[in-house]
């Protein structure tokens, strides 16, 4: 199995003709709610790609929390590691997309910010029973670090998606086997400006010096760069018409992780699978609704 330690949000998506100015009231053209949060998206992607998936995270004691818990249960994700926190709100994102496809997002982190190291320790068996653990930066860093240290002790592979872009403590990078940033996140973590493959190699070396085994920089419509220190390359993206890139990175990571062998030897093949899964997701609207199932990915591969 795969364990995801991370965030759970209920997304409210609004489609508008244009973004309202301060003081202005406008009507939306469409509104829908859907499951989101980087952690939950990655778990849904891993599960839909065929991996048995556990989740460790938190919701509040509100209706949004029940909606999200039900969605994750419907996916047949193991939700035993999800804690309901009293007097907290479940994470929620309010996403507005205008006609040009430009978006503006407000996030209330709520319960996502409030699960502790102790909550991780209580669920350590979920981690030690797994082949790998995946985490992002929408949860407390201390809790993520605790999860990675537990994983390390049991030879469980650790995958870090350092998103949204933040500085990370070196200790966390030292406990990371595979790091999967996009270009912006790479620049913030390494202070190296990503222009060409040479700069990607330099950025990768920054992570390798801290002990990271595999560096994967996702490049949007250009696919993904990888480095092991010895070997580097680019796995091209699939050419598709993107309509909404929300959760592209999350879909990539979950699908990628679902294919990894315990010895990580097939990681280039797993990157190609991640590219394929996310190329399907960008052709659909929303976060979790856009994430493809194994059968769809296999069909697209024919
Ligand atoms: P993030 O969404 O985290 O910023 P990226 O934009 O790098 O991440 O996208 C993640 C992955 O999604 C890419 O590596 C690629 O495989 C796929 N992807 C993203 N945008 C497109 C696109 N326009 N066409 C095809 N694939 C895409």
């Amino acid at each position: 199995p795969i364990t995801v330690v991370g965030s759970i949000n209920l997304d409210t998506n609004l489609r508008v003709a244009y973004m309202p100015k301060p003081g202005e009231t406008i009507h939306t053209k469409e509104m829908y709610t859907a499951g989101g949060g980087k952690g939950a998206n990655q778990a849904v992607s891993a599960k839909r790609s065929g991996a048995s998936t556990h989740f460790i995270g938190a919701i509040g004691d509100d209706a949004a929390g029940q909606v999200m818990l039900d969605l994750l249960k419907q996916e047949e994700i193991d939700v035993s590691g999800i804690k309901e926190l009293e007097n907290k709100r479940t994470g929620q994102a309010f996403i507005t997309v205008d006609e040009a496809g430009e978006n503006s997002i407000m996030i209330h982190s709520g319960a996502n910010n409030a699960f502790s190291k102790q909550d991780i320790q209580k669920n350590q068996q979920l981690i030690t029973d797994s082949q790998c653990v995946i985490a992002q930066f929408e949860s407390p860093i201390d809790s993520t670090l605790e999860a990675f240290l537990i994983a390390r002790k049991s030879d469980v592979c650790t995958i870090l998606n350092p998103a949204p872009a933040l500085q990370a403590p070196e200790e966390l990078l030292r406990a990371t086997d595979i790091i999967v940033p996009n270009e912006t996140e790479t620049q913030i973590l390494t202070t190296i400006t990503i222009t060409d493959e040479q700069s990607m190699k330099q950025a990768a070396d920054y992570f390798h010096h801290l002990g990271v085994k595999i560096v994967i920089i996702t490049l949007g419509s250009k696919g993904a760069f990888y480095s092991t220190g010895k070997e580097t390359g680019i796995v091209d993206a699939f050419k598709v018409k993107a309509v909404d890139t929300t959760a592209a990175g999350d879909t990539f990571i979950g699908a990628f992780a679902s294919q990894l062998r315990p010895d990580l030897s097939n990681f280039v093949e797993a990157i190609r699978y991640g590219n394929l899964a996310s190329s399907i997701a960008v052709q659909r609207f929303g976060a979790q609704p856009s994430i493809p199932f194994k059968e769809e990915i296999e069909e697209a591969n024919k």
Side-chain angles (χ1 to χ4, degrees), residues 182 185 218-221 223-224 237-238 240 242 245 248-249 252 274-275 278-279 282:
N182 66 14
E185 291 143 13
T218 62
L219 307 171
S221 60
F238 290 82
V240 297
T245 59
F252 176 92
N275 279 346
S278 49
S279 77
V282 301

Side-chain angles (χ1 to χ4, degrees), residues 5-294:
V5 175
S7 56
I8 302 171
N9 288 336
L10 180 66
D11 290 355
T12 298
N13 298 273
L14 304 170
R15 312 202 73 199
V16 295
Y18 63 94
M19 296 293 175
K21 286 163 203 61
E24 186 180 6
T25 300
I26 62 169
H27 289 274
T28 61
K29 300 204 292 185
E30 198 189 327
M31 161 175 153
Y32 64 96
T33 57
K38 291 180 192 298
N41 295 343
Q42 292 175 19
V44 167
S45 177
K47 184 66 179 59
R48 290 188 185 172
S49 290
S52 151
T53 306
H54 302 151
F55 200 92
I56 303 178
I59 53 173
D61 55 352
D62 54 5
Q66 291 312 307
V67 170
M68 285 310 300
L69 199 58
D70 285 346
L71 279 176
L72 295 173
K73 279 186 192 161
Q74 266 172 35
E75 298 286 338
E76 296 179 15
I77 289 168
D78 175 343
V79 297
S80 64
I82 297 178
K83 190 176 181 186
E84 188 180 307
L85 300 173
E86 268 174 46
N87 301 317
K88 283 278 172 198
R89 298 300 304 258
T90 298
Q92 288 205 48
F94 300 90
I95 304 166
T96 307
V97 181
D98 71 13
E99 228 136 55
E102 199 64 57
N103 64 28
S104 92
I105 303 178
M106 288 170 283
I107 296 181
H108 176 73
S109 300
N112 292 318
N113 265 348
F115 78 98
S116 64
K117 254 168 94 161
Q118 287 71 33
D119 296 324
I120 299 286
Q121 286 160 358
K122 272 183 220 143
N123 290 294
Q124 53 175 300
Q125 189 149 12
L126 294 177
I127 298 173
T128 55
D129 283 349
S130 295
Q131 182 189 322
C132 66
V133 49
I134 310 177
Q136 319 77 30
F137 282 170
E138 282 185 337
S139 309
I141 291 270
D142 278 4
S143 309
T144 301
L145 178 61
E146 183 67 14
F148 276 21
L149 294 176
I150 290 169
R152 267 286 158 95
K153 273 193 218 140
S154 304
D155 278 328
V156 173
C157 162
T158 56
I159 303 178
L160 180 66
N161 169 226
L166 291 175
Q167 298 281 355
E170 240 181 60
E171 213 184 344
L172 183 63
L173 298 176
R174 286 188 194 282
T176 299
D177 294 313
I178 304 179
I179 193 163
V180 191
N182 66 14
E183 288 165 282
T184 314
E185 291 143 13
T186 304
Q187 295 189 162
I188 296 217
L189 286 167
T190 65
T191 70
I192 293 166
T193 308
I194 302 301
T195 48
D196 54 5
E197 225 175 308
Q198 194 51 39
S199 56
M200 292 178 209
K201 282 184 195 168
Q202 276 175 16
D205 283 339
Y206 169 88
F207 295 119
H208 291 315
H209 284 307
L210 293 167
V212 177
K213 292 182 194 135
I214 300 173
V215 177
I216 299 170
I217 305 175
T218 62
L219 307 171
S221 60
K222 296 193 294 293
F225 165 88
Y226 66 85
S227 167
T228 60
K230 288 200 195 93
E231 190 195 337
T232 65
I234 286 182
V235 184
D236 289 334
F238 290 82
K239 282 204 170 45
V240 297
K241 192 172 175 300
V243 297
D244 177 4
T245 59
T246 311
D250 295 336
T251 303
F252 176 92
I253 288 164
F256 163 78
S258 76
Q259 302 301 303
L260 264 187
R261 285 201 204 109
D263 67 358
L264 314 181
S265 61
N266 67 334
F267 78 92
V268 175
E269 232 173 276
I271 291 173
R272 189 178 174 279
Y273 192 89
N275 279 346
L276 186 55
S278 49
S279 77
I280 298 173
V282 301
Q283 297 176 72
R284 305 170 177 173
F285 289 101
Q288 285 164 27
S290 74
I291 299 171
F293 289 83
K294 191 179 174 161

